[in-house]
Amino acid sequence: MSITFENTYTDLPAHFYSRLKPTPVSSPGLIRCNDALCKTLLIDPGWISSDAGVKFVAGNFIPAGADPIATVYAGHQFGNWNPQLGDGRAILMGEVKDQHGQRYDIQLKGSGPTPYSRGGDGRAPLGPILREYIVSEAMHALAVPTCRSLAAVTTGDSVHREQTLPGAVIARVAKSHIRIGTFQFFAAQEDHVALKALYDHVIKRHYAAAMEQENPTQAMFMMVMQRAATLVAHWQSLGFIHGVMNTDNILLSGETIDYGPCAFIDAFDPNKVFSSIDRNGRYAYSNQPGIMHWNLSNLAQCLLPLLHENQDTALTLAQDMINQFPDLMRQAYLEKLTAKLGIQHIQPDDIKLIEELLNLMTEQASDFTLTFRYLADLVDAKSAAKSVSGVAEEFQLDDAFKPWIARWQQRLAAENVPPEALKIRLLTANPIFIPRNHLIQAAIEAATNQQNFQPFNELVDLLSKPFDFKADFAHYARPPNADQIVQNTFCGT
Ligand code: AMP
Ligand code: MG
């Protein structure tokens, strides 16, 4: 059985997209099929893994019902306005619904040139495809809203970058691929008819509850801001640096997308930047909330014609809403970070406790993930005897943390929960296994240089349960040795 596609994006006006087929590849080979995701989407994993399914992912076979298109958008890239971007190496094959009726896009990435390729080849090397697969699925397991990986294939063709590399294609799934940049494209052209059509599509698809409100556009924008604040707070709580928070990489659905130069911080540094092209540190860890604010104000600007018929009133409404973002962000951040400390009943001073810990971690260049994970062993002064975190043998906190730990233990007493329950809170809020840069790098190198996909598969399997310590895989929890540290990440386009 193939895939039952629906197509609603193609109901939008013709200038929203270009209809075209993926360019076939020489000899498709399956890298991995995401059986669990297939089942959620009511797709037979046996079919995806079959000859026909692999050809579908590679772009060599178009199932009946698919209506492949590349969509157009614009965007601010590193703050610079680009009036026309678009799917330059991705093709939307169609939409599917899960058992709850939730609609998802299935998009192929690396599937050949489109009218929006701007001189690019429309292809992707194996490395970035594996990175996207590993990190997007890890993020999902960490409960972060994200696009997902349905399957990946090798193409049998080479991709020419600085080196010649094996090519690959990924089938990516998201609630939609509509970006802030999609709104910007039509708003910049003052194409109000298109803007309204896009808005109608988005509110119906992603924010149906807003349609019931007195001013649906206003209600929708508040919901967009709430999702964005929660998303960025989630990133911050994991030490995740997105790396390319351009407006064309921010989805209206509130899911994380574009796993190009992203990275998880090992030794904590709030100013950390990994991306080789982010020379000014625009997308540094500590800048992510502010950049999301900036991106959202661009979206608000696009929505002005829909917010109110009187444009002065619309501007006031938009400004009032956008001014609320820092508070939404602070609250979302406080909720995520207090949870990591085992706190459920938030008190006004808790933000100080968080800030003091992060300052200590910065001074001590303490590993972000293991510091939080280790707290499970320290919930009270007495219970320290038996380690539950899985990190105790390898990891110590410097004595400089002692006064903070004492204050935190005192604070936990106010939660009025027995130590065993606190430990469970901490172990379920703080992962032990994350996609560390050096592990991703090693998996990519084995696959690219030796056609060995075992490290990749092992990593994907392990990261599907990031909170469960497995002694056999303890080495995957460790921070990199000095010679394993990855200094820079690349888009790899
Ligand atoms: P990104 O940095 O991944 O957000 O990409 C920015 C823009 O460049 C998007 O419109 C992509 O579709 C396009 N792009 C990136 N890589 C390629 C490629 N290899 N061929 C064609 N277009 C590309
Ligand atoms: Mg992009």
Side-chain angles (χ1 to χ4, degrees), residues 73 77 84-90 109 112-114 116-125 161 179 244 246 248-249 258 260-261 277 491-493:
Y73 48 85
Q77 299 176 300
Q84 200 205 289
L85 293 159
D87 297 326
R89 56 172 162 166
K109 182 170 166 188
T114 77
Y116 316 112
S117 296
R118 299 179 302 153
D121 60 0
R123 294 297 184 189
R161 298 293 181 264
R179 305 135 196 274
V244 261
N246 296 336
D248 55 300
N249 290 332
D258 207 313
I277 56 169
C491 282
T493 57

Side-chain angles (χ1 to χ4, degrees), residues 267-332:
F268 186 57
D269 169 7
N271 299 318
K272 189 68 192 163
V273 176
F274 286 96
S275 171
S276 57
I277 56 169
D278 190 1
R279 298 223 166 74
N280 301 315
R282 179 180 170 89
Y283 299 139
Y285 172 83
S286 57
N287 286 353
Q288 297 190 124
I291 289 290
M292 187 56 97
H293 192 195
W294 191 87
N295 287 342
L296 289 165
S297 60
N298 277 287
L299 176 62
Q301 176 110 33
C302 297
L303 296 177
L304 288 177
L306 301 160
L307 258 177
H308 200 277
E309 58 204 12
N310 178 323
Q311 284 303 281
D312 291 333
T313 311
L315 194 60
T316 309
L317 284 174
Q319 197 62 58
D320 282 351
M321 288 195 288
I322 206 74
N323 289 346
Q324 294 176 48
F325 185 75
D327 278 341
L328 294 177
M329 189 66 241
R330 252 191 302 276
Q331 187 57 31

